[in-house]
Amino acid sequence: MASVEIVGIPQSTYTRVVRIACEEKGVPYTLAPVRPHSPEINALHPFGKLPGLRHDGFELCESSAIARYLDAAFDGPKLFPAEAKAAARAEKWVSLVNSHMDRTLVRQYLFAYLFPQTPDKSPDRAAIDGVLDAVRAQIALLDATLAGSAYLAGDGFTFADANLYPILAYLSRTPEGGEALQAAPHLAAYFDRLSLRPSVQATVPPPLPG
Ligand SMILES: N[C@@H](CCC(=O)N[C@@H](CS)C(=O)NCC(=O)O)C(=O)O
């Protein structure tokens, strides 16, 4: 079978999500590093977002769709559970993270540190302070969920965990986010457990490009 090509930069959270998915399933892949909105990704994604996938003449975008494709097209451990309730719980957490947490934790909070809109490029304190309550509330929600199960969808690792991990990895390196994460015992233990997975260790991103 032709090899899988993931189109996206390794620092992108959603690109890392699909790389973790490939690693979990043992699917060999190459990474084609392109920036958002470049002609190459615009050809795969109608809104120019990372990542995309090319495989055997097939082209796809959207991380969750890519994970579904990998799960159906390749052998290896299942990323999505077969059992109805566990499958629905995994889907629910992918949707919650993509619809709400990515915006709060990455686009609003993290980006205020990484890509501040301040004149001197110092962290955007107003933006950070404005979103901190929401950051802490989302960390508390994850902590409460993980008090009841080892992984987001139940007792086993699923794509929902792969989908959350890259966000937590960046969050753990921020002042307030890292502190809140460490103070959330169930979430912190889950983060440490996921950090030991070979799929996670094989996809550690290099520093962000300037
Ligand atoms: N729903 C998309 C979201 C992808 C996404 O937001 N990717 C980010 C990189 S992590 C991106 O390309 N951002 C560029 C932009 O929004 O302009 C997916 O799940 O793949």
Side-chain angles (χ1 to χ4, degrees):
M1 206 184 237
S3 71
V4 164
E5 190 177 17
I6 303 296
V7 181
I9 53 171
Q11 296 89 348
S12 138
T13 49
Y14 282 109
T15 301
R16 190 176 185 193
V17 164
V18 298
R19 294 180 69 209
I20 292 174
C22 284
E23 298 282 347
E24 287 286 337
K25 289 200 69 76
V27 174
Y29 66 94
T30 56
L31 189 65
V34 309
R35 297 273 197 150
H37 310 292
S38 60
E40 201 170 358
I41 196 68
N42 287 346
L44 298 176
H45 195 294
F47 305 113
K49 299 205 183 229
L50 310 177
L53 167 141
R54 288 193 281 253
H55 177 234
D56 204 14
F58 178 58
E59 296 183 337
L60 191 60
C61 63
E62 289 292 305
S63 53
S64 185
I66 292 170
R68 285 277 180 197
Y69 175 71
L70 294 169
D71 220 14
F74 292 90
D75 294 335
K78 282 289 170 198
L79 298 170
F80 292 91
E83 193 273 321
K85 289 175 183 143
R89 277 197 301 271
E91 203 63 67
K92 175 188 83 172
W93 275 106
V94 171
S95 184
L96 287 172
V97 168
N98 291 356
S99 306
H100 301 279
M101 296 186 162
D102 172 72
R103 188 170 63 242
T104 303
L105 301 178
V106 178
R107 315 292 145 185
Q108 296 179 335
Y109 176 65
L110 190 66
F111 278 24
Y113 278 108
L114 297 180
F115 310 112
Q117 299 302 308
T118 48
D120 62 354
K121 300 289 170 214
S122 60
D124 187 339
R125 213 52 249 177
I128 293 164
D129 291 342
V131 78
L132 266 184
D133 281 352
V135 169
R136 293 192 177 114
Q138 293 187 3
I139 287 175
L141 170 65
L142 290 168
D143 194 52
T145 301
L146 292 161
S149 60
Y151 296 91
L152 285 178
D155 293 338
F157 178 91
T158 70
F159 179 69
D161 305 298
N163 191 56
L164 176 63
Y165 184 83
I167 296 179
L168 295 181
Y170 278 127
L171 197 67
S172 71
R173 289 155 49 184
T174 61
E176 303 88 354
E179 196 177 303
L181 198 157
Q182 282 313 316
H186 307 288
L187 181 60
Y190 164 84
F191 177 67
D192 290 347
R193 202 160 54 248
L194 291 188
S195 298
L196 295 174
R197 293 183 83 83
S199 63
V200 163
Q201 295 187 349
T203 57
V204 173
L208 288 155

